[in-house]
């Protein structure tokens, strides 16, 4: 975990891990201004890989750390803070459920004690990647499924109530490989981001859907060209639009893959697009709007830094022009 000020000066950094391979897939700022990180570990726990959740205070000092899972591989991909001060984690499990892997959802209290857990999936591989709170106290999950739908894989939305009971699931996609990676609440319903190969002669494109609270699409759009394109995250903005980030190998990109930024209006139309990167692979995994109306992006780069793959943090203005990286 690294904290920077608005001018990219590092204030502090901290790291956690053991002798195995450990990683964080998502971090969330909690109501007490601390941080909760969800990922995986094979240094601790009872399985090959287990879900690892770490809670820190606002200085990055660890408050508690807990491992969850079974005898096989389990991964945490997303987390949200519930209204009662607990947390709900979503991921995928090979230890529980009925398929090769299933969506893994569990709730913990503010100290990390597990309150309940559930799985959902079919006979194929299913994984939950992102979670958001719903107005009725439940949760909604963006996932990828190989058990249901029309193609090799499809995007799937699953609604759970406050106790983890599944209420409904809806599958989106075509005959190609399709997936969802993010979901976020806005005034219309939920914005969903991912990638699709079903709607552009087999080429991968960034995929954005706005759905209502019951999972019915308000609009569905793709963004890309004749290369590999996809969204890792789409978030709402203060002007009732959306900002999506991911990767692109289209549009005369500078490298093998570049960081993709797309501003999308409330009707799903592209307002502007920006590419950032160097001669090798670069990809954005997350984006948030800043107080000044610009954006902060983070992800991975093979073009810059000291190693083969480094973390990057990119600050842009309101139209996606780079301010610093």
């Amino acid at each position: 975990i690294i904290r920077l000020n608005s001018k990219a000066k590092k204030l502090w950094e901290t790291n956690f891990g053991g002798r195995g391979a450990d990683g964080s897939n998502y971090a969330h700022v909690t109501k007490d201004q601390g941080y909760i990180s969800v990922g995986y570990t094979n240094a601790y726990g009872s399985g090959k890989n287990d879900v690892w959740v770490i809670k820190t205070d606002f200085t990055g000092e660890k408050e508690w750390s807990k491992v969850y899972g079974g005898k096989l591989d389990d991964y945490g991909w997303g987390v949200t803070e519930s209204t009662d001060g607990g947390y709900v984690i979503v991921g995928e499990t090979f230890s529980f459920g009925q398929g090769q892997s299933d969506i893994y959802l569990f709730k913990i209290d503010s100290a990390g004690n597990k309150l309940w857990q559930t799985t959902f999936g079919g006979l194929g591989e299913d994984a939950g990647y992102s979670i958001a709170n719903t107005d009725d106290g439940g949760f909604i999950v963006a996932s990828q499924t190989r058990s249901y739908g029309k193609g090799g894989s499809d995007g799937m939305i699953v609604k759970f109530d406050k106790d983890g009971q599944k209420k409904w699931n809806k599958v989106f996609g075509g005959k190609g490989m399709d997936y969802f990676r993010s979901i976020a609440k806005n005034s219309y319903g939920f914005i969903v981001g991912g990638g699709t190969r079903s709607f552009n002669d087999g080429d991968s494109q960034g995929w954005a859907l706005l759905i209502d609270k019951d999972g019915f699409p308000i609009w569905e759009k793709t963004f890309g060209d004749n290369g590999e394109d996809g969204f890792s995250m789409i978030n709402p903005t203060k002007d009732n639009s959306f900002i999506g980030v991911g990767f692109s190998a289209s549009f005369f990109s500078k490298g093998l893959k570049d960081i993709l930024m797309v501003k999308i209006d409330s009707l799903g139309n592209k307002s502007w697009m920006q590419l950032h990167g160097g001669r090798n692979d670069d990809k954005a995994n997350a984006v948030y709007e800043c107080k000044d109306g610009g954006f902060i992006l983070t992800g991975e780069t093979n073009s810059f830094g000291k190693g083969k793959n480094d973390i990057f943090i990119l600050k842009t203005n309101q139209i996606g022009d780079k301010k610093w990286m």
Side-chain angles (χ1 to χ4, degrees):
I1 302 174
I2 305 168
R3 182 165 185 180
L4 310 178
N5 65 15
S6 60
K7 296 181 180 179
K9 181 181 178 181
K10 184 170 69 177
L11 301 178
W12 52 258
E13 70 173 284
T14 186
N15 60 77
F16 306 93
R19 292 184 176 180
D22 311 301
S24 174
N25 291 322
Y26 186 78
H28 175 77
V29 181
T30 54
K31 293 175 184 176
D32 62 3
Q33 299 305 305
Y35 305 93
I36 188 164
S37 172
V38 59
Y40 62 92
T41 177
N42 66 17
Y44 313 108
S46 57
K48 296 179 179 179
N49 283 288
D50 286 301
V51 179
W52 195 12
V53 180
I54 302 169
K55 174 67 173 67
T56 77
D57 64 14
F58 71 98
T59 68
E61 189 72 24
K62 183 173 71 174
E63 295 179 337
W64 53 260
S65 166
K66 296 285 181 77
V67 177
Y68 312 86
K71 294 181 178 180
L72 301 177
D73 284 325
D74 307 294
Y75 302 93
W77 288 104
V79 61
T80 188
E81 190 166 6
S82 56
T83 54
D84 59 5
Y87 306 97
V88 179
I89 289 90
V90 70
E92 62 183 308
T93 177
F94 289 84
S95 299
F96 313 112
Q98 59 183 2
Q100 296 178 49
S101 69
D102 282 338
I103 295 171
Y104 188 27
L105 189 79
F106 61 93
K107 183 174 181 180
I108 57 178
D109 63 19
S110 60
N113 302 303
K114 187 190 294 181
L115 302 177
W116 51 254
Q117 76 173 36
T118 188
T119 65
F120 176 71
L123 297 178
E125 294 181 5
D126 306 291
Y129 288 106
S130 182
I131 184 170
N133 295 318
T134 57
D135 289 338
D136 60 3
F139 311 96
I140 193 164
V141 169
S143 66
Q144 181 176 1
T145 178
R146 293 179 182 267
S147 299
Y148 312 103
K150 303 174 182 177
S153 74
D154 290 283
M156 183 167 65
I157 302 297
V158 189
K159 172 69 167 62
F160 297 90
D161 68 15
K162 62 182 179 61
D163 299 313
Q165 298 296 313
K166 192 202 82 173
K167 304 303 291 182
W168 51 258
N169 66 292
K170 291 187 173 3
V171 179
F172 302 84
K175 294 181 179 180
M177 299 288 290
D178 310 306
Y179 60 87
F180 291 149
R181 285 294 182 269
S182 77
I183 189 166
K185 192 175 186 301
N186 84 320
S187 57
Y188 304 102
F190 300 90
I191 185 70
V192 185
T196 176
R197 288 185 179 272
S198 294
F199 306 112
N200 190 43
D201 298 324
D203 293 315
S204 174
Q205 294 202 309
W207 195 18
L209 292 88
L210 185 65
I211 61 173
D212 66 17
K213 63 181 179 63
D214 298 310
F216 294 104
I218 299 171
W219 51 253
E220 177 181 0
K221 302 282 185 174
T222 61
F223 302 85
D225 203 348
N226 294 322
E228 291 285 318
D229 307 293
F231 286 128
S232 302
M233 178 181 282
I234 304 179
N235 263 328
T237 55
K238 298 170 187 174
D239 60 359
N240 289 321
S241 298
F242 308 96
I243 186 71
V245 299
F247 63 90
S248 175
S250 302
F251 310 108
F252 304 101
S253 60
K254 300 174 183 177
L256 302 175
K257 289 181 182 178
D258 281 338
I259 298 159
L260 174 68
M261 287 186 75
V262 183
K263 182 76 181 296
I264 305 167
D265 70 17
S266 61
L267 301 177
N269 302 307
K270 181 176 69 178
S271 299
W272 51 258
M273 182 186 73
Q274 293 272 20
L275 297 174
H276 300 280
R279 293 182 178 180
N280 296 312
D281 279 334
D282 306 295
K283 175 187 176 184
N285 293 325
V287 62
Y288 295 95
E289 188 174 18
C290 303
K291 292 179 180 179
D292 63 1
F295 302 98
I296 193 78
L297 289 72
T298 186
E300 51 200 284
T301 176
N302 276 284
S303 298
F304 311 106
K306 299 177 180 179
K308 292 183 178 180
N309 201 37
D310 287 308
I311 297 168
F312 79 83
I313 301 174
L314 169 66
K315 175 69 170 67
T316 76
N317 64 12
Q318 297 178 356
I319 58 172
D321 294 323
K322 182 175 73 174
K323 296 187 72 174
W324 51 257
M325 181 173 175

